Each structure stands twice: as structure tokens, then as C-alpha cells.
Amino acid sequence: AALQFIVQMKGQELNLPQDEVTVAIVKGMFDSDSDVRNAATTAREEMSKSGIEFTPEKIISVIGKLSSEESFRVTKESLTAVLDLLNAGTQLNPSELLNLVIKGLIHPESDVRDVATMIRKKMGAQLQLTSGLVMATINKAAADSEWKIRRSAFWFLSEMVKEGVQLPPVELTAVVYKGMMDGDSDVKNAATTSRDDVKSAGITFSEADSMPAIIKGVSDEGWKVRREAIYMLTELIKTGTKFNPADVATVVIKGLLDADSDVRDSAVAARQVVVEAGIKLSSSQVGGAIMKGISDEQWKIRRAAINLMVEESKSGSQPPIGDVVSAIVKCLSDSDSDVRESARQAREYFAGIIPEHQFIPQLLYQCFAALASDDQVVQAGALQVLANYQQTISNMIAKIPTPLKSSEQLNIGFWLLIRYRLNLQIIIYNEQNFTLQLYEEGKLNEVDLSKFIDNPLELIQMGFKSWKQGLRKDDERVKN
């Protein structure tokens, strides 16, 4: 329609700029659609009658300028026109053809690549494909959103290597391994072939230089790419490639906390290979990643984190008790039911392996901290945890010896008795059992501790007196 409009404007008072008319018509002449090409041919014939010249040289010049534009799509027709002119002995400016030929060489259609290759051979040394230009072209095509162009990038790479073009090894390694982690199998296969071609050509190719690409791949938006990145790391380690242990840990841990189950499974397998290769994953690094995962925006990652904490314990790497309880309390009040269920299972597991005198004080500490939150969901989760443990805590208090010798046991009594927070539900004791009661500003519950502890410590008595007198935020005894 645009081309037809140009013809309709011929002879009208509205004079269109000749250069722009020429560009529009030439662009149409090499469109991928035949109807557009026919309209452009008609427009060229009509506008030629008005004095606009469309000599072969001018057409090629326009194509050369257009080919540098991102939106310009090289077609078989445009390349064939160039080849016909060359075969007819027309002298063309190589610099005007360079972009056109490059785009043709990495085109996803084999017919287009074949014509581009013939042009390149026809022009010979006149058309200089420098190492920098080739590498930039490969990098750009390998990152294209269309898988066919990404695949073509590696076909082009293989051809250049076979011709003896010297490409920078580090960049070469990075782009090849990036392709080998592609989510599309055709691209992956083409990249793998390129790697073999590079090695066959005797180009220095260090697998260890693949780590930046692997680290980038494990953070990719596509789960297939993340999975392939971990799989590649596994295979390279199996073949004896030496990597920085910290980098290996980064990739494996990220995979273990991935939102996708296939990626996590790959990471579990990778971890086994890593351990067998004598590479140790720092427990602090794993623990830090777990705690970070617990607060992730994606619920699948939060669930993966709490599950990984259990798996770490089962494998003999016991996370710090404070981290364990903090994660459990946080996830028990999670907005997602699957995360809450994983936290419930984790709670049951750790309650069975961590001694009560270590587990319960930390649990109480984390719950009271959660009760101090302004988030009602967090408060409710903490209360639920405490409700589930009320009998355990009651039994433990009843067993406290006199005098108290354990700081952990001391903390139980201290936190239960003098922890305060206005306008929140808090934990108190009555003579029957351990219960949850509403504590409101100005209304303080009184508890007779003598029914629970025959000989209360002076500290507990003092804390209880402070509670009975009324807790205030500025009460130094409470703060201390």
C-alpha cells in the first residue's frame, strides 16, 4: 500500500523527496513477500518515467546503506541481484556490500547463505572479514531471540574456523559454551559441533574459561538454559576440568534453590559429582544461600530453601540451630500453603534430632521476635508454632532443676516471664496448662509461678515482679 501510494503521488503537487522514494522502492524490491516485490517493481517503472534513476550501481548503493539497519532483512533476491551484477563484470564498492554479505552468511535460510557465500568467493580479498568483525557478528547472532539465527551463528563460526580465521580464544570459549547451554536442541548441537571444529583447528580452547558462561547460564530466565548450565558443569568436572571451588559452589547452590524441579534435580546430581571430585561446598555458603532463599519473592524458591535445609541436615551438614528455627518460624507463616507444609515437615524433622534444651529456647526466641512484628500473618504463624509446642514447653519447664545451671534453660524462664509487647497476643502460664491469652495495654495477667517451680530463681522472681508491676517500654530492667 505504501508503494502504491508513492505511485499515486506522482504528478501531484506533493513532491516526495527522490532519495527517500528510491530507498523505499529498493527496499520493496527485495522484500520477502512477492506481492510487495511486484508493487515495488511497478513503482520503480512508474517513477523511472519521472526521471528517477534506478541504475544497478545506485540500487546496490541503497542496499548497502539499508543493510546496516536493524530492521532491514536480507533476502535471497537482494543477494542474487548483487551476484548478477558481479557476474556481469560490474565493479561494486566492497564497503557497501560488507553488511549485506555478513547478514546473508548468518541467515537462517540455507538458500540465502549459499548466495552470500558465492558473493564472498566472487569478491575474494576485496571483501575483508576481519577477526573482530567475525567475532562481533557471531556474538550478536548467538544472542538473537530467534533460535534459527542463533544456530546459524555457530554454522558461520565453524566455517570461519575451517578457513583459518583467528578468533580470540576467551571470547570463542564463552560464546560456544553459551550455545551449548541453549534451550533449543538444534542450537545446542550446532554449538557442540563448533566446539569440536575449534579443537580440530588447533585453536587453544580452555574449558576452564567456560565458567563465566556457566554462571550466567544458571541465572538465565529459561529453566532449560539453567538446567543445561548445571549439566555442562557436571560433565566438565567429570572430564577433569579444574574450576575455582567458589564458582562451582555458586552454580550448584543456585541450582539447588531453583524454582524448577528439573533444575534442582540436575543440581543434586552435580553436587554428588562435585563431592566425588574432592570439591567441598562451604557450609556457611550453603547456609547463607538457604536463609536468602527463605525470603525470596518466589514461593517455589522459599519451599526449595526450607527443603534444602532438611536435606543438608540429613547429609550430615547440620545448619546452625538459630537458622533452622528462624527458617521454620518464618515459613510456617508463609502466604503459600506448600511452603507452610514444607516448614511443618521440617519442624517435625528437626524436633527429632535437635535436643529440646537447644531447640526450644531458639524456638521461643524466634517466636517472640515474630510476635513483635507488625505483620498479623507473621504473628499468627508464630502463635501457631507455640501452640503446637505448648506441651513440650510445659514439660520442659517442669523439669527445670534448682538451681538452674544451663543458660539455655535460663533463657526459657526469662523469655517466658518478662518478654513483652503491647497490643499483641503473648504467652503466659496458668495453673492448668500452657495457653495463649490476649494481653492488652493496661491489662496485665498475673501468674502464680509457685505451681510450676518450687524454688524460683531470684532472676525469675524479679522478672515476674516487673511483669506484675506493669511492663513499660522504658523499663530498664526489662530491656536489660
Side-chain angles (χ1 to χ4, degrees), residues 90-111:
T90 306
Q91 294 298 315
L92 301 177
N93 187 342
S95 63
E96 292 179 344
L97 297 179
L98 191 57
N99 285 321
L100 185 70
V101 175
I102 283 288
K103 282 193 173 185
L105 290 171
I106 59 169
H107 197 280
E109 302 300 330
S110 60
D111 287 350

Side-chain angles (χ1 to χ4, degrees), residues 193-268:
T193 301
S194 290
R195 181 194 62 179
D196 296 340
D197 290 336
V198 168
K199 289 184 175 180
S200 298
I203 298 176
T204 303
F205 195 86
S206 173
E207 278 84 356
D209 291 333
S210 64
M211 181 52 78
I214 293 173
I215 291 176
K216 188 174 181 180
V218 82
S219 299
D220 195 89
E221 292 182 359
W223 68 269
K224 288 183 178 179
V225 176
R226 301 197 300 273
R227 182 189 63 187
E228 291 300 324
I230 295 171
Y231 176 74
M232 181 178 295
L233 175 70
T234 305
E235 293 303 306
L236 289 173
I237 290 176
K238 284 181 179 179
T239 59
T241 305
K242 301 298 182 183
F243 292 109
N244 184 331
D247 290 338
V248 173
T250 297
V251 174
V252 174
I253 292 171
K254 196 166 183 64
L256 291 170
L257 293 174
D258 198 274
D260 185 86
S261 59
D262 283 351
V263 179
R264 293 197 300 273
D265 290 343
S266 295
V268 170

Side-chain angles (χ1 to χ4, degrees), residues 29-258:
M29 287 168 59
F30 303 110
D31 196 272
S32 58
D33 185 85
S34 60
D35 286 346
V36 178
R37 293 198 300 272
N38 292 336
T41 300
T42 300
R44 182 185 67 178
E45 293 172 353
E46 291 297 323
M47 300 310 289
S48 295
K49 297 174 184 177
S50 300
I52 298 179
E53 295 184 349
F54 288 91
T55 63
E57 291 79 7
K58 188 168 185 179
I59 291 174
I60 296 302
S61 176
V62 172
I63 291 177
K65 292 182 176 65
L66 287 173
S67 63
S68 62
E69 296 179 6
E70 291 292 331
S71 60
F72 181 70
R73 184 175 179 83
V74 173
T75 63
K76 181 181 178 181
E77 288 74 21
S78 61
L79 290 169
T80 301
V82 172
L83 185 60
D84 288 344
L85 288 171
L86 289 172
N87 288 332
T90 306
Q91 294 298 315
L92 301 177
N93 187 342
S95 63
E96 292 179 344
L97 297 179
L98 191 57
N99 285 321
L100 185 70
V101 175
I102 283 288
K103 282 193 173 185
L105 290 171
I106 59 169
H107 197 280
E109 302 300 330
S110 60
D111 287 350
V112 178
R113 293 196 305 274
D114 290 344
V115 179
T117 301
M118 285 189 280
I119 292 173
R120 183 167 172 252
K121 290 180 178 179
K122 186 75 176 178
M123 296 196 73
Q126 296 180 64
L127 202 64
Q128 289 291 334
L129 295 184
T130 64
S131 174
L133 177 61
V134 169
M135 197 69 243
T137 301
I138 293 171
N139 282 329
K140 186 174 182 179
D144 197 273
S145 58
E146 187 177 342
W147 70 268
K148 288 184 178 180
I149 293 180
R150 297 199 302 275
R151 180 184 62 184
S152 295
F154 295 103
W155 288 343
F156 180 55
L157 189 155
S158 291
E159 289 301 316
M160 294 296 99
V161 168
K162 289 175 183 177
E163 289 184 16
V165 178
Q166 296 298 312
L167 300 175
V170 175
E171 281 190 70
L172 197 59
T173 302
V175 74
V176 167
Y177 276 106
K178 184 180 187 302
M180 291 174 64
M181 293 183 289
D182 199 278
D184 184 88
S185 59
D186 284 349
V187 178
K188 189 165 60 174
N189 291 337
T192 302
T193 301
S194 290
R195 181 194 62 179
D196 296 340
D197 290 336
V198 168
K199 289 184 175 180
S200 298
I203 298 176
T204 303
F205 195 86
S206 173
E207 278 84 356
D209 291 333
S210 64
M211 181 52 78
I214 293 173
I215 291 176
K216 188 174 181 180
V218 82
S219 299
D220 195 89
E221 292 182 359
W223 68 269
K224 288 183 178 179
V225 176
R226 301 197 300 273
R227 182 189 63 187
E228 291 300 324
I230 295 171
Y231 176 74
M232 181 178 295
L233 175 70
T234 305
E235 293 303 306
L236 289 173
I237 290 176
K238 284 181 179 179
T239 59
T241 305
K242 301 298 182 183
F243 292 109
N244 184 331
D247 290 338
V248 173
T250 297
V251 174
V252 174
I253 292 171
K254 196 166 183 64
L256 291 170
L257 293 174
D258 198 274

Side-chain angles (χ1 to χ4, degrees), residues 427-464:
I427 307 306
I428 68 167
Y429 281 96
N430 63 27
E431 60 183 352
Q432 300 298 326
N433 54 25
F434 180 76
T435 60
L436 305 177
Q437 294 186 10
L438 187 64
Y439 173 76
E440 297 178 358
E441 187 174 5
K443 297 179 181 179
L444 302 172
N445 292 298
E446 296 184 2
V447 179
D448 183 1
L449 292 182
S450 64
K451 296 183 179 181
F452 292 89
I453 303 177
D454 294 331
N455 300 302
L457 294 179
E458 183 178 355
L459 173 63
I460 295 181
Q461 291 175 324
M462 184 171 66
F464 183 54

